Amino acid sequence: MPNQPERIVVEPHQSLPHTAASWIADSIADAIRHTGTCSIALSGGRTPRGVFAELATAFRDVPWRHVHVYFGDERAVPPNDPNSNYRMAREALLDPVHVPPDHVHRMEGERADLDAAARDYERLLPVALDILLLGIGPDGHTASLFPGAPALDEHTRRVLPADSPFPPPRRLTVTPPVIAAARRVAVIAEGADKAGIVRRALEGPLDPHALPVQLALGGVWLLDRDAASGLARVPA
Ligand code: 6PG
């Protein structure tokens, strides 16, 4: 039985960065309409950079003064390291749109005691994020929840240190309860290299221990045509 996420959005006439940036801008506006503020956790890796750049340039009316920015995961590196998810977000989005510095809540991956860093971050992470952005790795990981990881069975801690099979080897990550509690979740993926893992996640057996990104099947999956090309049914 295919796993049916809330919806798959494949935009053949728009770029994925624009489609994803539009969804994020709309989601921020909706959260602010309801509560006057918005908490969004950003995803890391390479894919988001283009999305964040589009968000910064094509959606300049986003009221960032009402937005608090968090992160779904971070590498255990300093914040100015080329591998830092914070650095990528700062360069592509946070600096260009002038998010107030006290509204940016980065994970302190540089700390020697990652468990203490995780516990400190958990204390400032909202009980329920308004928006959680996620990516999908070649092995089906999301955030820094990797296949078979102990964190996949975590029901209490909301942030944990993690080991990664991909460099950098140590991470901080949100855990399944954070994904479950988030009001809006989006998985953003582009490129033919993601087609196989997207197909496994959306149309294969349900097994989040093997495919942690399946924890986000209740969310919106924002895919370009290439990443969706392995699916049996691609929306027109
Ligand atoms: C990270 C991300 C990770 C990422 C996927 C996809 O810190 O690397 O949080 O989960 O979203 O690995 O990465 P790409 O967008 O680079 O393919």
Side-chain angles (χ1 to χ4, degrees), residues 43-48 73-75 85 134-138 141-144 171 193-194:
S43 51
R46 293 183 308 276
T47 302
D73 73 329
E74 184 56 275
R75 289 82 179 276
N85 287 335
L134 294 170
I136 178 171
H141 78 259
T142 196
S144 283
R171 313 280 184 100
D193 62 320
K194 297 290 174 73

Side-chain angles (χ1 to χ4, degrees), residues 8-223:
I8 297 173
V9 179
V10 176
E11 295 293 338
H13 309 302
Q14 278 186 337
S15 72
L16 178 85
H18 186 83
T19 301
S22 178
W23 182 90
I24 294 167
D26 288 349
S27 300
I28 289 173
D30 186 56
I32 293 171
R33 263 195 304 277
H34 282 88
T35 65
T37 183
C38 175
S39 57
I40 180 171
L42 304 180
S43 51
R46 293 183 308 276
T47 302
R49 186 183 285 271
V51 175
F52 295 165
E54 182 75 3
L55 186 58
T57 53
F59 296 88
R60 302 195 65 84
D61 58 349
V62 173
W64 292 102
R65 66 192 178 284
H66 298 307
V67 181
H68 281 259
V69 177
Y70 301 84
F71 291 81
D73 73 329
E74 184 56 275
R75 289 82 179 276
V77 296
N80 60 354
D81 187 289
N83 284 308
S84 165
N85 287 335
Y86 162 77
R87 174 174 165 174
M88 180 272 287
R90 181 176 58 73
E91 291 173 345
L93 177 63
L94 306 180
D95 282 355
V97 302
H98 309 295
V99 177
D102 63 346
H103 283 206
V104 179
H105 312 283
R106 67 177 187 85
M107 291 179 165
E108 296 174 316
E110 72 277 17
R111 286 171 56 176
D113 187 342
L114 284 179
D115 191 63
R119 292 182 187 278
D120 288 347
Y121 199 76
E122 187 168 318
R123 275 191 279 274
L124 63 83
L125 194 64
V127 171
L129 287 160
D130 291 309
I131 303 166
L132 173 61
L133 304 181
L134 294 170
I136 178 171
D139 58 351
H141 78 259
T142 196
S144 283
L145 295 167
F146 295 93
L152 293 168
D153 293 312
E154 181 60 49
H155 301 296
T156 306
R157 297 282 298 273
R158 298 190 299 137
V159 182
L160 280 174
D163 292 317
S164 167
F166 303 96
R170 291 288 282 159
R171 313 280 184 100
L172 288 169
T173 187
V174 296
T175 61
V178 174
I179 299 174
R183 296 186 179 91
R184 287 174 174 241
V185 177
V187 175
I188 304 171
E190 67 178 346
D193 62 320
K194 297 290 174 73
I197 198 67
V198 165
R199 183 185 70 252
R200 281 183 59 202
L202 293 181
E203 297 182 346
L206 186 59
D207 182 3
H209 275 80
L211 291 171
V213 74
Q214 289 186 326
L215 293 168
L217 286 176
V220 174
W221 287 51
L222 302 169
L223 310 168

